[in-house]
Amino acid sequence: SEKTSVEGFINAASWRANSETGRLLLARNRTDYYDGVGGVKLFARQRPINAVSSLYCDTSYDFSADTEIESDGYQVYGDRGLIVLTTTVFAIGPRVIRLIDNEGYATVPYDLEDAVTQLVLHIYKKYREKRVGVASISTEGRTVRYSDALPDDVAAVFKRYWRASVV
């Protein structure tokens, strides 16, 4: 049905937005583990950070109550996805930090919402023109090539929300 197709286009556009930005854009509860390098800063894999439920640092990997860092022991810079310890430093070791929080946009910014809507329309147009999966069409000695590239204005918005990987 057309309704099912449109829902599929919306899901595809949302997935593409996540993929192009390297982020999970909608708010969700997450549990992530990070390597400790002995510093005081932790950049979450997603941003913004809306709320921290708990933060642990434990070299024995038990993550019991006595390894939880109290909320007054760190400062959260939500928009930047940054947590800075104020009373201690993170231990050194692989996956010794456990962060349980809510990350992503509770309210999607208007420009991002508009870009995803434009992408849905772009996908829908390809579907209506029966161009899904078609790279080119040749008729009467002429060839028309189609691109799977994002529309320029959509790509520009996604680029603004892109999250660089750890280097």
Side-chain angles (χ1 to χ4, degrees), residues 113-128:
E113 183 178 353
D114 182 59
V116 171
T117 301
Q118 287 182 47
L119 183 54
V120 170
L121 293 173
H122 176 74
I123 294 168
Y124 181 73
K125 182 179 177 186
K126 283 174 49 176
Y127 169 77
R128 295 288 291 182

Side-chain angles (χ1 to χ4, degrees), residues 43 49 52 63 70 72-73 81 89 94 102 107 115 130 135 144 150 159:
F43 284 95
I49 297 173
V52 173
F63 300 107
E70 297 296 326
D72 61 355
V89 296
N102 182 280
T107 302
K130 300 185 183 341
V144 176
L150 290 171
K159 186 176 181 180

